[in-house]
Amino acid sequence: MASCVCGRTKGVRKGKDGKPLGELKISVIAAKNLPAGHKDGTSDPWVSVSVQGERKWGFSTEVKEKTKDCVWNEDFAVKRICDFKWIDFIVKSKNFMGSTELGRATINEKSHKLSRWPQEIKLILDHGGELTIKVQISYNIDPLFTPYCGTLSLKILEAKDLKDSTVMFGKQSTYCRVNMCGEEYKTEVAKNAGTTAKWPDITFEFKVKDVNNDPMQDINLTVLAEGTLLDGKLGTLDLPLSLLLSHKKQWWSLFSNREMNVKQGKILLEADFKGTGGYPKTSLATIKKASYGVGERQLDVTSVCEGYMKDGKLLLTAPASLDWVFACDPYRNQTKVLEVEIKAGMFGSGGSKLVC
């Protein structure tokens, strides 16, 4: 029977203590409503950045003069970090005696789930004011995934169980808007469709370049009801490209409130991709199927897991989570499961399924 263990993962650089070696990138973007550092009510602000890992690193921005609202857009990086713990941001105001502290804030793995994709974070400083930063941390896991380049073909076929936006009489007319990386299309309006809708069999094509499952590169769909003055939103859907391509044709749940994870309605999509990138092509000798996710949002990671099977063990090292290993988060802010189904007859068994 196969088993899932933490082991040595090919392509992951490691430090002296055996922990995965990553790169931390920090951008100090802007601050506003800072406290006054001078008697005239202004400040000369700058930011001290301190990173705690297996050792300490320090950075500082340039000084901005006579302001309590300023923009830096300065980037810093720790090229080799094994054991990230926290980042301290201390905003100070320069004066003739040195500097006066205006406020500070800290982020860590518990307060913010850092990932390979840049996250813009607004930090409230302890003495007032707000500091905007951007942080990402990535581990060199190669060759698990390469960015997509090519053409995505997408068909938006039909929707069902939609929210009914009509008050009393008539049936709503619906359409769908889809965008990805700046390209946007719209289906025809399904007149008097009510809570179900069918659209003509039309293929929308997106030119894909260096798409790496960054949430900013998701395919975003919005189903709307045509209105007299304003169109009403019936549901939305966001899909990383790897997740969409894991299912050639599938019904997907729409969200009436994505932040609260409230679903209403479904939409049928058919997708095809021609180009390069994605997961490695591996001959499937051991694994029948492997998926990572929850519910319908299952990422096909069969070829990745096959590459890390050895002597009946799945040797995966997740530096922070399996989102790292598969270079994709199929369902953000939700608990996900990795399921691996072993072929019958392998390792003296009639086939088995392991859950990690």
Side-chain angles (χ1 to χ4, degrees):
M1 180 174 176
S3 61
C4 185
V5 302
C6 290
R8 181 177 176 81
T9 302
K10 295 176 288 185
V12 181
R13 295 184 304 161
K14 295 192 174 184
K16 293 180 179 179
D17 59 357
K19 293 184 178 180
L21 193 61
E23 179 178 5
L24 177 69
K25 295 181 179 180
I26 305 164
S27 299
V28 178
I29 300 173
K32 66 178 182 180
N33 301 324
L34 293 174
H38 305 315
K39 290 183 178 180
D40 62 2
T42 65
S43 291
D44 290 343
W46 62 281
V47 183
S48 169
V49 182
S50 178
V51 178
Q52 180 65 59
E54 62 273 19
R55 66 180 185 85
K56 276 191 175 182
W57 292 266
F59 310 97
S60 59
T61 67
E62 67 177 17
V63 176
K64 299 294 183 179
E65 295 182 352
K66 302 296 182 182
T67 181
K68 295 198 292 183
D69 302 287
C70 51
V71 176
W72 285 283
N73 281 327
E74 294 187 36
D75 301 322
F76 310 99
V78 178
K79 295 291 185 181
R80 297 165 62 89
I81 185 168
C82 288
D83 190 18
F84 169 71
K85 292 184 174 65
W86 66 77
I87 311 173
D88 282 331
F89 298 89
I90 306 175
V91 182
K92 301 180 180 182
S93 178
K94 189 176 181 180
N95 55 43
F96 68 95
M97 294 288 290
S99 289
T100 301
E101 183 173 321
L102 301 179
R104 66 172 63 201
T106 300
I107 66 170
N108 54 50
E109 284 285 10
K110 291 184 179 180
S111 64
H112 296 84
K113 182 183 175 184
L114 303 185
S115 74
R116 67 173 72 230
W117 305 292
Q119 295 184 60
E120 186 170 296
I121 303 170
K122 296 186 184 300
L123 299 173
I124 303 302
L125 302 172
D126 60 354
H127 296 323
E130 180 182 278
L131 179 67
T132 302
I133 60 162
K134 191 177 287 186
V135 183
Q136 69 183 109
I137 185 167
S138 60
Y139 296 86
N140 289 339
I141 302 177
D142 181 62
L144 289 178
F145 176 86
T146 54
Y148 292 98
C149 293
T151 301
L152 170 66
S153 299
L154 182 67
K155 292 182 180 181
I156 304 171
L157 300 173
E158 54 183 300
K160 63 182 180 181
D161 303 327
L162 295 172
K163 174 185 175 182
D164 190 351
S165 64
T166 57
V167 179
M168 293 182 64
F169 306 107
K171 291 185 176 182
Q172 62 194 6
S173 298
T174 58
Y175 67 94
C176 182
R177 190 170 61 224
V178 56
N179 65 75
M180 179 186 183
C181 298
E183 289 187 89
E184 183 170 296
Y185 298 101
K186 187 173 75 170
T187 67
E188 294 182 6
V189 177
K191 293 292 185 180
N192 300 314
T195 58
T196 63
K198 288 189 177 181
W199 295 287
D201 190 349
I202 297 174
T203 300
F204 302 108
E205 291 192 345
F206 296 86
K207 299 301 179 185
V208 173
K209 184 178 180 181
D210 296 330
V211 170
N212 64 359
N213 293 323
D214 185 323
M216 297 299 292
Q217 300 171 323
D218 280 357
I219 299 92
N220 296 289
L221 296 100
T222 305
V223 179
L224 300 110
E226 195 174 47
T228 305
L229 298 176
L230 294 173
D231 296 344
K233 186 184 295 185
L234 302 179
T236 63
L237 174 64
D238 55 277
L239 293 169
L241 185 52
S242 285
L243 179 59
L244 176 67
L245 297 180
S246 293
H247 308 272
K248 181 175 176 60
K249 188 175 181 179
Q250 177 166 295
W251 284 97
W252 298 93
S253 294
L254 295 165
F255 292 89
S256 57
N257 187 324
R258 184 64 178 87
E259 295 301 318
M260 299 296 293
N261 197 37
V262 179
K263 300 175 184 176
Q264 182 162 357
K266 288 179 174 286
I267 191 165
L268 180 61
L269 304 178
E270 185 175 338
D272 187 42
F273 177 75
K274 297 189 185 314
T276 60
Y279 299 120
K281 303 296 185 287
T282 306
S283 59
L284 302 179
T286 306
I287 295 176
K288 184 177 180 180
K289 184 179 180 182
S291 60
Y292 173 60
V294 59
E296 71 200 28
R297 297 179 73 101
Q298 295 290 337
L299 189 67
D300 185 350
V301 293
T302 308
S303 65
V304 177
C305 290
E306 180 68 39
Y308 294 111
M309 287 295 297
K310 185 177 180 181
D311 299 329
K313 294 181 180 180
L314 181 58
L315 299 178
L316 286 177
T317 297
S321 70
L322 289 174
D323 297 347
W324 292 105
V325 176
F326 302 125
C328 183
D329 186 348
Y331 204 163
R332 289 192 292 278
N333 302 319
Q334 298 295 316
T335 300
K336 296 166 286 287
V337 172
L338 170 63
E339 291 191 8
V340 182
E341 188 174 353
I342 307 301
K343 289 184 178 180
M346 299 304 298
F347 313 111
S349 72
S352 60
K353 180 180 285 189
L354 63 98
V355 178
C356 302

